[in-house]
Amino acid sequence: MSAEIHQHANEHLQFLGDVPTAERLAACKEFLKNESAALRTRHASGAAGLDIAHDRAETIDELLVHLFDYALDSYARTRGPLPAPVALLALGGYGRGELSPWSDVDVMFLFPTKTKPAEAKPLQEHLTNEILYLLWDCGLKVGHSTRTIDEAFHEARKDIQTKTALLEARLVAGSTKLYETFAQAYRSYYTTEDP
C-alpha cells in the first residue's frame, strides 16, 4: 500500500514555486479524504487494524514531507538560506509508524544544540505557518514542539511522557545528519541512565 500512498502524494501534493495557501490546503484535504476513504474500504474488507494504522502513519508522513519541503523551499526563496539545519521528527505511537484515525499527530521540529533562539525564531514561525496551520485546518489533532537537542534531553529528564515519546522518535523530513546525532545520543542516554 505504501507505494500507492507515495504515488498519490506525488500526484496531488507537488507544490512547486509560489502556491497560495488556499490551494495547498485544498490539495491536502483532498489527499487526506481520498486516502482515509481507501483505508476505511480496506479495513471494511478485512485488512488488519495494525496494517491500517501503519498505512495511516505513511499517509501523514507523505503529507508532512511535502509540506516540509515546500516550507523550506519557500523560506529559501523569500528569506535566504536556513539559519540552521532542522529535522521534523514523529514521536510516540506515530514515531513507531502506528497512527489510528483519530490519534494525535505528535511531531517535533529539532534544531542543533548551539542554535540561538533568535536565529531559529523566523524559521520556527515559518514552519508553524506553512505546516502546522495547514494540519490544523485539515482537522488533524497535532501535538508539537520545537527544541534543540539539549532542550529535548532537558524535557526528557523532567517528564516521563516526553522521555517515552522520544524513545520512538523517527525522522520524517529534514536533516538526516541532525536526526542521527540526536538518535545516537538519545540511545546512549536512555540505555545508560540509572533507573
Side-chain angles (χ1 to χ4, degrees):
M1 185 67 183
S2 60
E4 287 180 36
I5 295 169
H6 181 71
Q7 179 183 343
H8 295 161
N10 284 339
E11 291 169 1
H12 300 287
L13 302 175
Q14 287 293 343
F15 306 126
L16 303 174
D18 188 17
V19 181
T21 302
E23 188 176 324
R24 285 181 283 122
L25 177 59
C28 291
K29 284 183 174 182
E30 186 69 17
F31 172 74
L32 287 174
K33 182 178 119 184
N34 292 339
E35 296 308 313
S36 295
L39 290 174
R40 278 193 301 278
T41 299
R42 284 186 54 233
H43 192 252
S45 297
L50 189 56
D51 291 340
I52 299 301
H54 287 303
D55 287 346
R56 174 74 174 162
E58 287 184 31
T59 298
I60 300 301
D61 283 357
E62 289 290 342
L63 179 67
L64 285 171
V65 165
H66 284 82
L67 290 175
F68 187 87
D69 289 348
Y70 180 83
L72 293 191
D73 180 64
S74 65
Y75 187 93
R77 277 187 288 106
T78 59
R79 299 180 185 212
L82 298 181
V86 60
L88 175 59
L89 277 54
L91 305 178
Y94 176 43
R96 274 193 315 274
E98 299 171 5
L99 192 62
S100 296
W102 305 113
S103 294
D104 290 5
V105 177
D106 292 321
V107 296
M108 178 173 69
F109 294 109
L110 181 69
F111 285 91
T113 293
K114 296 187 186 286
T115 306
K116 294 180 175 67
E119 289 176 351
K121 187 173 181 175
L123 178 54
Q124 179 184 352
E125 289 173 351
H126 187 77
L127 294 170
T128 297
N129 290 334
E130 298 296 328
I131 300 171
L132 298 180
Y133 284 144
L134 269 74
L135 297 178
W136 291 321
D137 288 345
C138 284
L140 296 171
K141 293 190 299 181
V142 182
H144 64 94
S145 59
T146 300
R147 296 193 173 108
T148 65
I149 292 176
D150 279 358
E151 289 168 343
F153 278 85
H154 177 74
E155 289 299 316
R157 286 184 191 99
K158 69 180 193 177
D159 179 47
I160 190 67
Q161 285 184 311
T162 300
K163 182 178 183 177
T164 56
L166 289 171
L167 285 172
E168 297 172 314
R170 171 176 61 85
L171 179 67
V172 175
S175 173
T176 301
K177 183 178 177 183
L178 176 61
Y179 168 73
E180 288 173 352
T181 298
F182 164 77
Q184 182 179 3
Y186 201 74
R187 272 191 300 276
S188 296
Y189 160 67
Y190 72 73
T191 57
T192 59
E193 185 187 49
D194 292 330

mmCIF file of all heavy atoms in Angstrom, residues 8-30:
data_model
loop_
_atom_site.group_PDB
_atom_site.id
_atom_site.type_symbol
_atom_site.label_atom_id
_atom_site.label_comp_id
_atom_site.label_asym_id
_atom_site.label_seq_id
_atom_site.Cartn_x
_atom_site.Cartn_y
_atom_site.Cartn_z
ATOM 1 N N HIS A 8 0.158 8.628 -4.893
ATOM 2 C CA HIS A 8 -0.948 9.588 -4.762
ATOM 3 C C HIS A 8 -0.439 10.926 -4.220
ATOM 4 O O HIS A 8 -0.882 11.990 -4.669
ATOM 5 C CB HIS A 8 -2.041 9.036 -3.855
ATOM 6 C CG HIS A 8 -2.715 7.823 -4.404
ATOM 7 N ND1 HIS A 8 -3.425 6.958 -3.611
ATOM 8 C CD2 HIS A 8 -2.787 7.310 -5.664
ATOM 9 C CE1 HIS A 8 -3.907 5.977 -4.350
ATOM 10 N NE2 HIS A 8 -3.524 6.165 -5.609
ATOM 11 N N ALA A 9 0.464 10.881 -3.248
ATOM 12 C CA ALA A 9 1.022 12.119 -2.689
ATOM 13 C C ALA A 9 1.779 12.885 -3.766
ATOM 14 O O ALA A 9 1.633 14.113 -3.879
ATOM 15 C CB ALA A 9 1.937 11.799 -1.513
ATOM 16 N N ASN A 10 2.573 12.184 -4.549
ATOM 17 C CA ASN A 10 3.325 12.855 -5.611
ATOM 18 C C ASN A 10 2.413 13.452 -6.673
ATOM 19 O O ASN A 10 2.738 14.475 -7.277
ATOM 20 C CB ASN A 10 4.332 11.896 -6.247
ATOM 21 C CG ASN A 10 5.544 11.669 -5.372
ATOM 22 O OD1 ASN A 10 5.847 12.474 -4.496
ATOM 23 N ND2 ASN A 10 6.222 10.563 -5.581
ATOM 24 N N GLU A 11 1.272 12.834 -6.890
ATOM 25 C CA GLU A 11 0.314 13.357 -7.863
ATOM 26 C C GLU A 11 -0.431 14.584 -7.353
ATOM 27 O O GLU A 11 -0.749 15.489 -8.119
ATOM 28 C CB GLU A 11 -0.711 12.272 -8.236
ATOM 29 C CG GLU A 11 -0.121 11.136 -9.051
ATOM 30 C CD GLU A 11 -1.072 9.948 -9.177
ATOM 31 O OE1 GLU A 11 -2.208 10.003 -8.649
ATOM 32 O OE2 GLU A 11 -0.666 8.947 -9.800
ATOM 33 N N HIS A 12 -0.722 14.617 -6.046
ATOM 34 C CA HIS A 12 -1.611 15.654 -5.506
ATOM 35 C C HIS A 12 -0.929 16.711 -4.640
ATOM 36 O O HIS A 12 -1.516 17.761 -4.381
ATOM 37 C CB HIS A 12 -2.740 15.006 -4.703
ATOM 38 C CG HIS A 12 -3.582 14.084 -5.521
ATOM 39 N ND1 HIS A 12 -4.479 14.529 -6.461
ATOM 40 C CD2 HIS A 12 -3.624 12.727 -5.572
ATOM 41 C CE1 HIS A 12 -5.064 13.496 -7.034
ATOM 42 N NE2 HIS A 12 -4.552 12.391 -6.520
ATOM 43 N N LEU A 13 0.280 16.427 -4.170
ATOM 44 C CA LEU A 13 0.915 17.336 -3.201
ATOM 45 C C LEU A 13 2.226 17.932 -3.708
ATOM 46 O O LEU A 13 3.058 18.342 -2.912
ATOM 47 C CB LEU A 13 1.152 16.602 -1.873
ATOM 48 C CG LEU A 13 -0.080 16.020 -1.189
ATOM 49 C CD1 LEU A 13 0.323 15.227 0.049
ATOM 50 C CD2 LEU A 13 -1.087 17.105 -0.827
ATOM 51 N N GLN A 14 2.425 17.986 -5.004
ATOM 52 C CA GLN A 14 3.629 18.608 -5.556
ATOM 53 C C GLN A 14 3.406 20.116 -5.625
ATOM 54 O O GLN A 14 2.713 20.599 -6.516
ATOM 55 C CB GLN A 14 3.927 18.061 -6.956
ATOM 56 C CG GLN A 14 4.449 16.653 -6.959
ATOM 57 C CD GLN A 14 5.824 16.512 -6.331
ATOM 58 O OE1 GLN A 14 6.563 17.481 -6.155
ATOM 59 N NE2 GLN A 14 6.173 15.298 -5.976
ATOM 60 N N PHE A 15 3.970 20.832 -4.678
ATOM 61 C CA PHE A 15 3.804 22.282 -4.616
ATOM 62 C C PHE A 15 5.081 22.938 -5.125
ATOM 63 O O PHE A 15 6.073 23.000 -4.413
ATOM 64 C CB PHE A 15 3.500 22.722 -3.185
ATOM 65 C CG PHE A 15 2.332 22.003 -2.563
ATOM 66 C CD1 PHE A 15 2.477 21.353 -1.353
ATOM 67 C CD2 PHE A 15 1.100 21.979 -3.193
ATOM 68 C CE1 PHE A 15 1.408 20.693 -0.769
ATOM 69 C CE2 PHE A 15 0.021 21.319 -2.621
ATOM 70 C CZ PHE A 15 0.179 20.682 -1.406
ATOM 71 N N LEU A 16 5.051 23.397 -6.361
ATOM 72 C CA LEU A 16 6.236 23.980 -6.981
ATOM 73 C C LEU A 16 6.058 25.487 -7.112
ATOM 74 O O LEU A 16 4.999 25.956 -7.526
ATOM 75 C CB LEU A 16 6.473 23.353 -8.351
ATOM 76 C CG LEU A 16 6.628 21.830 -8.353
ATOM 77 C CD1 LEU A 16 6.711 21.303 -9.769
ATOM 78 C CD2 LEU A 16 7.848 21.412 -7.548
ATOM 79 N N GLY A 17 7.093 26.231 -6.774
ATOM 80 C CA GLY A 17 7.015 27.685 -6.857
ATOM 81 C C GLY A 17 6.152 28.254 -5.739
ATOM 82 O O GLY A 17 6.059 27.681 -4.663
ATOM 83 N N ASP A 18 5.529 29.374 -6.024
ATOM 84 C CA ASP A 18 4.707 30.051 -5.023
ATOM 85 C C ASP A 18 3.258 29.585 -5.169
ATOM 86 O O ASP A 18 2.540 30.014 -6.058
ATOM 87 C CB ASP A 18 4.815 31.572 -5.220
ATOM 88 C CG ASP A 18 4.147 32.342 -4.092
ATOM 89 O OD1 ASP A 18 3.905 31.739 -3.027
ATOM 90 O OD2 ASP A 18 3.864 33.534 -4.289
ATOM 91 N N VAL A 19 2.831 28.686 -4.274
ATOM 92 C CA VAL A 19 1.482 28.125 -4.327
ATOM 93 C C VAL A 19 0.673 28.737 -3.188
ATOM 94 O O VAL A 19 1.068 28.614 -2.020
ATOM 95 C CB VAL A 19 1.504 26.584 -4.200
ATOM 96 C CG1 VAL A 19 0.099 26.013 -4.285
ATOM 97 C CG2 VAL A 19 2.418 25.979 -5.257
ATOM 98 N N PRO A 20 -0.447 29.395 -3.476
ATOM 99 C CA PRO A 20 -1.250 30.023 -2.421
ATOM 100 C C PRO A 20 -1.674 29.016 -1.348
ATOM 101 O O PRO A 20 -1.913 27.838 -1.642
ATOM 102 C CB PRO A 20 -2.476 30.564 -3.169
ATOM 103 C CG PRO A 20 -2.039 30.684 -4.582
ATOM 104 C CD PRO A 20 -1.021 29.598 -4.807
ATOM 105 N N THR A 21 -1.782 29.500 -0.121
ATOM 106 C CA THR A 21 -2.144 28.650 0.999
ATOM 107 C C THR A 21 -3.458 27.922 0.750
ATOM 108 O O THR A 21 -3.575 26.727 1.035
ATOM 109 C CB THR A 21 -2.239 29.489 2.298
ATOM 110 O OG1 THR A 21 -0.984 30.126 2.516
ATOM 111 C CG2 THR A 21 -2.582 28.626 3.490
ATOM 112 N N ALA A 22 -4.459 28.631 0.230
ATOM 113 C CA ALA A 22 -5.767 28.012 -0.003
ATOM 114 C C ALA A 22 -5.654 26.837 -0.975
ATOM 115 O O ALA A 22 -6.316 25.800 -0.789
ATOM 116 C CB ALA A 22 -6.753 29.046 -0.537
ATOM 117 N N GLU A 23 -4.810 26.960 -1.962
ATOM 118 C CA GLU A 23 -4.629 25.880 -2.934
ATOM 119 C C GLU A 23 -3.925 24.677 -2.295
ATOM 120 O O GLU A 23 -4.300 23.527 -2.521
ATOM 121 C CB GLU A 23 -3.821 26.404 -4.125
ATOM 122 C CG GLU A 23 -3.725 25.435 -5.275
ATOM 123 C CD GLU A 23 -2.987 26.041 -6.465
ATOM 124 O OE1 GLU A 23 -3.139 27.251 -6.733
ATOM 125 O OE2 GLU A 23 -2.239 25.278 -7.127
ATOM 126 N N ARG A 24 -2.911 24.952 -1.491
ATOM 127 C CA ARG A 24 -2.219 23.856 -0.791
ATOM 128 C C ARG A 24 -3.153 23.165 0.199
ATOM 129 O O ARG A 24 -3.179 21.940 0.296
ATOM 130 C CB ARG A 24 -0.963 24.381 -0.086
ATOM 131 C CG ARG A 24 0.167 24.652 -1.051
ATOM 132 C CD ARG A 24 1.427 25.140 -0.370
ATOM 133 N NE ARG A 24 1.289 26.544 -0.003
ATOM 134 C CZ ARG A 24 1.403 27.034 1.213
ATOM 135 N NH1 ARG A 24 1.708 26.245 2.225
ATOM 136 N NH2 ARG A 24 1.246 28.317 1.446
ATOM 137 N N LEU A 25 -3.939 23.961 0.926
ATOM 138 C CA LEU A 25 -4.875 23.396 1.889
ATOM 139 C C LEU A 25 -5.907 22.504 1.193
ATOM 140 O O LEU A 25 -6.189 21.396 1.658
ATOM 141 C CB LEU A 25 -5.573 24.506 2.672
ATOM 142 C CG LEU A 25 -6.640 24.052 3.671
ATOM 143 C CD1 LEU A 25 -6.050 23.120 4.718
ATOM 144 C CD2 LEU A 25 -7.287 25.268 4.333
ATOM 145 N N ALA A 26 -6.447 22.965 0.091
ATOM 146 C CA ALA A 26 -7.433 22.168 -0.650
ATOM 147 C C ALA A 26 -6.823 20.851 -1.112
ATOM 148 O O ALA A 26 -7.462 19.791 -1.028
ATOM 149 C CB ALA A 26 -7.972 22.966 -1.831
ATOM 150 N N ALA A 27 -5.590 20.899 -1.595
ATOM 151 C CA ALA A 27 -4.915 19.678 -2.053
ATOM 152 C C ALA A 27 -4.684 18.718 -0.886
ATOM 153 O O ALA A 27 -4.872 17.504 -1.019
ATOM 154 C CB ALA A 27 -3.593 20.032 -2.722
ATOM 155 N N CYS A 28 -4.290 19.256 0.264
ATOM 156 C CA CYS A 28 -4.057 18.420 1.448
ATOM 157 C C CYS A 28 -5.354 17.768 1.915
ATOM 158 O O CYS A 28 -5.388 16.567 2.227
ATOM 159 C CB CYS A 28 -3.457 19.251 2.581
ATOM 160 S SG CYS A 28 -1.773 19.810 2.271
ATOM 161 N N LYS A 29 -6.422 18.540 1.962
ATOM 162 C CA LYS A 29 -7.715 17.990 2.390
ATOM 163 C C LYS A 29 -8.185 16.896 1.442
ATOM 164 O O LYS A 29 -8.675 15.854 1.879
ATOM 165 C CB LYS A 29 -8.763 19.103 2.468
ATOM 166 C CG LYS A 29 -8.627 19.994 3.681
ATOM 167 C CD LYS A 29 -9.754 21.019 3.715
ATOM 168 C CE LYS A 29 -9.727 21.823 4.999
ATOM 169 N NZ LYS A 29 -10.840 22.793 5.065
ATOM 170 N N GLU A 30 -8.026 17.129 0.159
ATOM 171 C CA GLU A 30 -8.447 16.134 -0.833
ATOM 172 C C GLU A 30 -7.614 14.860 -0.709
ATOM 173 O O GLU A 30 -8.142 13.746 -0.762
ATOM 174 C CB GLU A 30 -8.321 16.725 -2.245
ATOM 175 C CG GLU A 30 -8.857 15.839 -3.336
ATOM 176 C CD GLU A 30 -10.370 15.676 -3.316
ATOM 177 O OE1 GLU A 30 -11.079 16.474 -2.670
ATOM 178 O OE2 GLU A 30 -10.851 14.715 -3.958
#
